[in-house]
Amino acid sequence: MSPTLALTEELIALSSITPDDKGCQRRLIELLLPLGFVCETIESNGVTNLWARRGTTAPVFVFAGHTDVVPTGPVEQWESKPFTPTHRDGKLYGRGAADMKTSIAAMVVACQEFIAAHPDHQGSIAFLITSDEEGPATDGTVVVCERLQERGETMDYCLVGEPTSAHILGDMIKNGRRGSLSGHLVIKGVQGHIAYPQLARNPIHQCAPALAELAAEQWDSGNEYYLPTSWQMSNIHAGTGANNVIPGEVTIDFNFRFSTASTAEGLEARVHAILDRHQLSYELQWTLSGLPFLTPRGTLSDALSSAILGETGVQTELSTTGGTSDGRFIARMCPQVIEFGPPNASIHKIDEHIEVRFIDPLKNIYRRTLENLLAKPA
């Protein structure tokens, strides 16, 4: 068993359902201290975070990730126990196998190998690990970044170990993520008997034209890296349950997944303008859960793409698809943030798994990336 596979299994066996780290970071500290890392545990409201750094000079290369996993779902539906690492048909099964304990194990072993070969490497290597990525993400990476900024620490490159590959290892990396802006909209009407509509005001009828306009609106055209911004309704509810009552209000939940071609403030203003133009009586609460970020092609993406090609022969694709990640917090202080990890088809599912054949190549890609950026010229 390779060291990367062994560490992956060790981490999977720790049932670190968010936000409980279950000792994962303590194990990482045990492995990083002998490599010369200075390790700091940062706790916030029951969330455990790790900041570990080797070196004091620039450039600062950061491995980022999370030890927490999503709940298992019905355990009886798993073919094997979710926190008992199990091999079947060339795959390693267990909660966190793909998202993202394999990546964390690969990062640590990549550092062990790189430092053994390049003990006097350039710059610094760091780890930013949280147990609050799968939860509300309010006491994890964002807290660590705030702490680092307060004391003047900087980052130059950050590689986040999210599972980004689509079909085979290395076919896709994320050089950005869309922002997420949600709205909770309540349209006010006047409840009444359905046989006397002149004595009521039906909010469903009133809001329908506005919703149609919102759904048809082109919010932006995207850009080289992003598809156009998307507005989608997720929930709509009205009525008392009776078929003879005009409801007094209708509630609509919607979400923008928006690119760097738009701003949250601009999108909010345009929504209000449409609602106001239709003369609706409404209340609207906004929740901004993440701003978009983008790392254009550059030093980090080139180093990672070269590492992937050298290890696998795969020409990788830059992408900004998918949901939000902790990269949105790191991008506030780090100019180059890229996400790369194993295939993501099974993440958050029953019987989450990773193909064993991808585990050591992932570690090698991380090591090659360090070599491309921090190894001293021969």
Side-chain angles (χ1 to χ4, degrees), residues 33-295:
L33 284 174
L35 301 178
F37 283 84
V38 176
C39 299
E40 177 184 1
T41 296
I42 300 173
E43 295 184 349
S44 177
N45 294 321
V47 171
T48 306
N49 304 294
L50 170 63
W51 172 249
R53 177 167 172 170
R54 183 185 197 271
T56 58
T57 60
V60 181
F61 178 96
V62 180
F63 283 116
H66 60 90
T67 52
D68 60 323
V69 298
V70 296
T72 62
V75 175
E76 65 275 10
Q77 293 183 18
W78 285 69
E79 190 169 339
S80 53
K81 294 180 179 179
F83 295 110
T84 299
T86 305
H87 290 256
R88 294 193 303 275
D89 302 320
K91 299 173 182 176
L92 172 63
Y93 288 81
R95 178 57 86 221
D99 188 14
M100 55 175 285
K101 290 184 174 179
T102 299
S103 294
I104 291 177
M107 291 170 176
V108 171
V109 179
C111 281
Q112 291 174 332
E113 293 181 356
F114 173 75
I115 291 168
H118 306 275
D120 59 344
H121 60 79
Q122 301 180 82
S124 304
I125 306 172
F127 280 78
L128 196 172
I129 308 295
T130 183
S131 66
D132 185 37
E133 197 274 345
E134 300 290 8
T138 55
D139 292 283
T141 298
V142 63
V143 169
V144 178
C145 288
E146 289 171 353
R147 182 78 59 87
L148 296 177
Q149 288 178 295
E150 286 171 0
R151 61 197 195 197
E153 293 201 52
T154 60
M155 306 177 188
D156 297 285
Y157 312 113
C158 181
L159 182 52
V160 186
E162 289 292 340
T164 61
S165 300
H167 304 292
I168 60 172
L169 181 68
D171 61 359
M172 183 175 291
I173 64 178
K174 306 287 187 180
N175 65 317
R177 295 278 189 165
R178 294 174 294 176
S180 179
L181 174 66
S182 297
H184 180 75
L185 174 64
V186 179
I187 308 291
K188 302 290 187 177
V190 175
Q191 183 174 313
H193 196 295
I194 210 161
Y196 299 95
Q198 72 277 14
L199 302 178
R201 191 172 75 247
N202 194 322
I204 301 176
H205 295 182
Q206 285 197 308
C207 75
L211 296 181
E213 184 174 344
L214 289 165
E217 183 77 0
Q218 182 175 346
W219 302 96
D220 59 45
S221 299
N223 54 38
E224 177 187 359
Y225 299 100
Y226 283 99
L227 293 172
T229 289
S230 168
W231 181 88
Q232 296 291 325
M233 285 183 284
S234 57
N235 293 282
I236 182 166
H237 176 76
T240 63
N243 64 2
N244 62 351
V245 179
I246 292 173
E249 62 182 35
V250 57
T251 301
I252 299 136
D253 293 312
F254 62 84
N255 177 266
F256 282 105
R257 291 302 166 105
F258 65 104
S259 73
T260 51
S262 291
T263 65
E265 295 80 6
L267 294 172
E268 290 179 10
R270 289 171 65 184
V271 169
H272 281 285
I274 291 172
L275 297 174
D276 293 341
R277 187 163 60 250
H278 287 271
Q279 298 182 329
L280 298 175
S281 174
Y282 67 91
E283 295 176 356
L284 178 52
Q285 296 179 328
W286 293 99
T287 302
L288 177 64
S289 56
L291 291 170
F293 73 91
L294 177 67
T295 299

Side-chain angles (χ1 to χ4, degrees), residues 300-363:
L300 179 56
S301 61
D302 288 348
L304 177 57
S305 298
S306 173
I308 292 170
L309 182 63
E311 181 65 27
T312 67
V314 172
Q315 291 275 6
T316 195
E317 173 189 355
L318 292 177
S319 173
T320 59
T321 58
T324 58
S325 77
D326 276 2
R328 68 191 189 273
F329 304 124
I330 300 168
R332 299 175 188 175
M333 64 176 297
C334 182
Q336 297 189 52
V337 180
I338 299 287
E339 302 175 16
F340 171 65
N344 55 28
S346 72
I347 63 173
H348 293 204
K349 292 184 177 180
I350 301 293
D351 289 332
E352 179 181 350
H353 61 270
I354 183 172
E355 293 188 49
V356 175
R357 67 189 177 105
F358 292 147
I359 293 178
D360 277 311
L362 177 62
K363 175 263 298 180

